[in-house]
Amino acid sequence: MDWMLFLIFLVGCGAAATTGAMFQPGQWYDALAKPRWTPPDWVFPVTWTVLYLCIAAAAARVVVLDGNAYAMAFFAVQLAFNVLWTPIFFGLHRMKAALLVIVLLWASVAATLWHFWQLDWIAGLLFVPYLIWVSIATALNFEVWRLNRHNALRT
Amino acid sequence: MDWMLFLIFLVGCGAAATTGAMFQPGQWYDALAKPRWTPPDWVFPVTWTVLYLCIAAAAARVVVLDGNAYAMAFFAVQLAFNVLWTPIFFGLHRMKAALLVIVLLWASVAATLWHFWQLDWIAGLLFVPYLIWVSIATALNFEVWRLNRHNALRT
């Protein structure tokens, strides 16, 4: 693996991590009704740190391979939607719009995993925890929206 | 050009466009001191629409070429920073943090242009208006921060 490419992709993941650092769950999120299986707050930054390392490593492996056009196109798309979700959910508190974004994120992560896997199974495997986690996050976003959508206190 | 790849990259640009639609300049931005050369508000969405078409077209041209690893790595990074800037500036009103992000955006756009140009001069040319516009936006972000940093009314 080319470590410089890994670092460049890690900087890109850093843009996504920055949204998590700057748009924090606060009183609004604490006060929301949440499903019983909601992970505690500390799990999220720990999980994302591991995931970003896996994402950057997978991209650094695939970006040097021939025939990776669709793989790298979907990779760019999923990274953009990853950056987008947090400001909409934690910044604007727009749970339904965030749900739409995370469904698009899930689809683009799944498409990236599919194309990565065909080119390099290790890169595909590095994307599996990411897809699992976005699946959990999508279910959580859906449940939080369902449980709180009639709550007038949106902000 | 593979039109499906163009459309996938356009969806990625759509994530950036969504931040512009959801984090609008409002009373806060209107009330800021701005330099005399600040473009009127309507110029921004018009310009970005043209730029996103150029960005997606450039990426669709380069992503199919051999030896594009650094080009596509920097492309993903600049798209992520593009999505990140608007929520920090217009969402959080954090002008100094946004300035740091837009400097990183400028650097990653310049790096992408440089690598695109070496692989395909048309793709490089398609990135020139983007770099010019981000240069203007960086100068505007700097001036707005300089003119308003002592203003206690941050929000």
Side-chain angles (χ1 to χ4, degrees):
Chain A
M1 191 168 71
D2 181 328
W3 289 97
M4 187 54 71
L5 286 169
F6 171 74
L7 284 176
I8 294 167
F9 282 115
L10 205 57
V11 169
C13 292
T18 300
T19 64
M22 297 189 75
F23 294 88
Q24 295 258 350
Q27 289 183 328
W28 169 77
Y29 179 74
D30 292 344
L32 289 177
K34 286 182 277 291
R36 292 178 61 177
W37 48 267
T38 303
D41 285 0
W42 65 266
V43 170
F44 293 86
V46 173
T47 307
W48 279 112
T49 302
V50 176
L51 292 179
Y52 288 135
L53 292 167
C54 292
I55 292 167
R61 291 180 65 94
V62 169
V63 77
V64 295
L65 303 177
D66 289 342
N68 65 1
Y70 280 84
M72 295 317 297
F74 282 118
F75 179 86
V77 171
Q78 63 77 25
L79 187 60
F81 281 112
N82 191 315
V83 180
L84 181 62
W85 183 83
T86 311
I88 291 179
F89 189 86
F90 287 115
L92 297 176
H93 304 164
R94 292 183 62 172
M95 296 178 279
K96 201 171 167 185
L99 184 59
L100 179 63
V101 170
I102 207 165
V103 167
L104 291 169
L105 173 60
W106 190 94
S108 55
V109 171
T112 307
L113 193 163
W114 171 257
H115 286 281
F116 274 25
W117 197 285
Q118 314 218 341
L119 293 159
D120 171 31
W121 67 269
I122 294 175
L125 211 59
L126 285 164
F127 250 61
V128 169
Y130 184 23
L131 187 65
I132 292 171
W133 186 251
V134 173
S135 303
I136 295 167
T138 304
L140 182 56
N141 189 155
F142 174 78
E143 278 293 280
V144 167
W145 167 72
R146 192 180 64 81
L147 293 168
N148 300 276
R149 63 186 151 154
H150 297 306
N151 188 341
L153 192 66
R154 290 276 303 281
T155 50
Chain B
M1 191 168 72
D2 181 328
W3 288 97
M4 187 54 72
L5 286 168
F6 171 74
L7 284 176
I8 295 168
F9 282 116
L10 204 58
V11 169
C13 291
T18 301
T19 64
M22 296 189 75
F23 294 88
Q24 295 259 349
Q27 289 184 330
W28 169 77
Y29 180 74
D30 292 345
L32 289 175
K34 286 182 278 290
R36 292 179 59 175
W37 48 267
T38 303
D41 285 359
W42 64 266
V43 170
F44 293 86
V46 172
T47 307
W48 278 112
T49 302
V50 176
L51 292 179
Y52 288 136
L53 292 166
C54 293
I55 292 167
R61 292 180 64 94
V62 169
V63 78
V64 295
L65 303 177
D66 287 342
N68 65 0
Y70 280 84
M72 294 318 297
F74 282 118
F75 179 85
V77 171
Q78 64 77 24
L79 187 60
F81 281 113
N82 190 316
V83 180
L84 182 61
W85 183 84
T86 311
I88 292 179
F89 190 85
F90 287 115
L92 296 176
H93 304 163
R94 292 184 63 172
M95 297 178 280
K96 201 170 167 184
L99 184 59
L100 180 62
V101 170
I102 207 165
V103 167
L104 291 168
L105 173 60
W106 190 94
S108 55
V109 171
T112 308
L113 193 163
W114 171 257
H115 286 280
F116 275 26
W117 197 285
Q118 314 217 342
L119 293 159
D120 171 29
W121 67 268
I122 294 175
L125 211 60
L126 284 165
F127 251 61
V128 169
Y130 184 23
L131 188 65
I132 292 170
W133 186 252
V134 173
S135 303
I136 294 168
T138 304
L140 182 56
N141 189 154
F142 174 78
E143 278 294 280
V144 167
W145 167 72
R146 192 179 63 81
L147 293 168
N148 299 277
R149 63 187 151 154
H150 297 307
N151 187 343
L153 192 65
R154 290 276 302 283
T155 50

